[in-house]
Amino acid sequence: FDWGSGNFAVTQSLVNEFESYDTVQATVPGSTLTTRVVVRDPRAYWTIYSTGEEYGRGCGNDGAPYNFRYSCTGGVAVATSQANWSVTGFTASKYIRPFENFGGGQSLNQSVSQNNERLIRYADVLLLLAEAKLLGSNDVAGAAELINQVRARARDAFDRAYGAGSPDAALYSAVRRPANLLPARTAGSREQMFEWLRHERRVELAMEFSRYDDLVRWLRAGLINRSQIDFGDPVANQRFNPQVHLLRPLPQRELDLNPNLKQNPGY
């Protein structure tokens, strides 16, 4: 996590998927330094830590800004200069913010959360139903209505992400709510609505381990092709083989128990 040594990284591809609206120069709390901050879909705030946002407890209970070095002066964390905390400049905040556990006096203990993982969420159910309506009965309007429920809930979270209700209100003090924030999707073509559905699942369920299964499902159904798949890394994109990776390997124990089973190709 904090020094780029986590088990996964936030890709630039994912960051770019969040709808963005404005870019402002902001003063980094605890310093006179300024940084460029981008106002995105509020869900980005609950998915990734961005430069300057409160990341941990650098000194006592004082917040240390993400991607900056800090020093303690009189019990206050003071930002001094940027550090390399991530290979892409972003770190996952999903499931962590705002439930960071800073107990035990551990500085920057932002990777320990008191939050529970959600195995299934209402937004996931709505988006799966939207997919079923769209692909099962070509109900474009019905799919749009469900997608818009998810977007409306995300739109209502703007103040808690970037406004007065945000833990980072000082950083985002110059930010104003965009007039066109997460506009509702209107019924159009089936292809356009499916593209919006794919977008919505990626940003809503980012870091919740749904994307791989989504890609496999859509690719197997012929709804997308390999050129549309972006894992955020050119090596991963190159190595993805639909002939192999649409299936999982059968466990050796099952193969041993049933000699009629044959291992899937490529494993």
Side-chain angles (χ1 to χ4, degrees), residues 8 17 30 38 43 60 75-76 86 102 105 110 134 136-137 155 162 190 222 224 229 238 243:
F8 60 91
E17 189 74 20
V38 179
R43 287 173 290 192
V76 177
S86 165
F102 301 112
Q110 75 302 319
L134 182 64
S137 57
R155 192 183 307 123
Y162 301 113
R190 179 177 184 267
I224 59 175
I229 297 175
Q238 182 180 11
Q243 304 307 314

Side-chain angles (χ1 to χ4, degrees), residues 169-228:
L171 178 70
Y172 293 115
S173 60
V175 170
R176 298 294 177 266
R177 183 187 177 97
N180 61 335
L181 179 64
L182 297 180
R185 302 305 195 188
T186 55
S189 68
R190 179 177 184 267
E191 292 72 22
Q192 177 65 78
M193 193 58 64
F194 180 60
E195 182 179 335
W196 283 338
L197 172 71
R198 282 160 41 203
H199 163 80
E200 213 62 33
R201 284 193 65 82
R202 188 174 191 192
V203 297
E204 176 68 31
L205 303 172
M207 304 291 173
E208 297 183 40
F209 310 107
S210 297
R211 180 161 167 77
Y212 178 83
D213 290 329
D214 286 349
L215 291 174
V216 167
R217 179 172 73 258
W218 297 329
L219 184 62
R220 179 180 284 169
L223 298 167
I224 59 175
N225 58 53
R226 279 195 64 187
S227 65
Q228 296 175 292

Side-chain angles (χ1 to χ4, degrees), residues 15-93:
V15 176
N16 294 344
E17 189 74 20
F18 289 98
E19 295 160 66
S20 59
Y21 298 93
D22 195 11
T23 301
V24 298
Q25 289 296 119
T27 301
V28 179
S31 77
T32 58
L33 302 172
T34 59
T35 189
R36 173 179 172 271
V37 296
V38 179
V39 181
R40 297 182 173 89
D41 174 341
R43 287 173 290 192
Y45 183 84
W46 308 110
T47 305
I48 54 178
Y49 288 105
S50 299
T51 300
E53 292 175 350
E54 186 172 298
Y55 185 53
R57 295 293 184 268
C59 184
N61 287 321
D62 197 45
Y66 177 71
N67 221 19
F68 280 81
R69 299 186 186 278
Y70 72 92
S71 58
C72 291
T73 302
V76 177
V78 178
T80 55
S81 61
Q82 282 189 291
N84 296 318
W85 286 15
S86 165
V87 294
T88 58
F90 300 90
T91 288
S93 68

Side-chain angles (χ1 to χ4, degrees), residues 2 60 98 104 112 121 144 162 166 189-190 216 226 229 233 247 260:
D2 50 338
V112 179
R121 297 201 288 112
Y162 301 113
S166 170
S189 68
R190 179 177 184 267
V216 167
R226 279 195 64 187
I229 297 175
D233 178 84
L247 300 173
N260 294 317

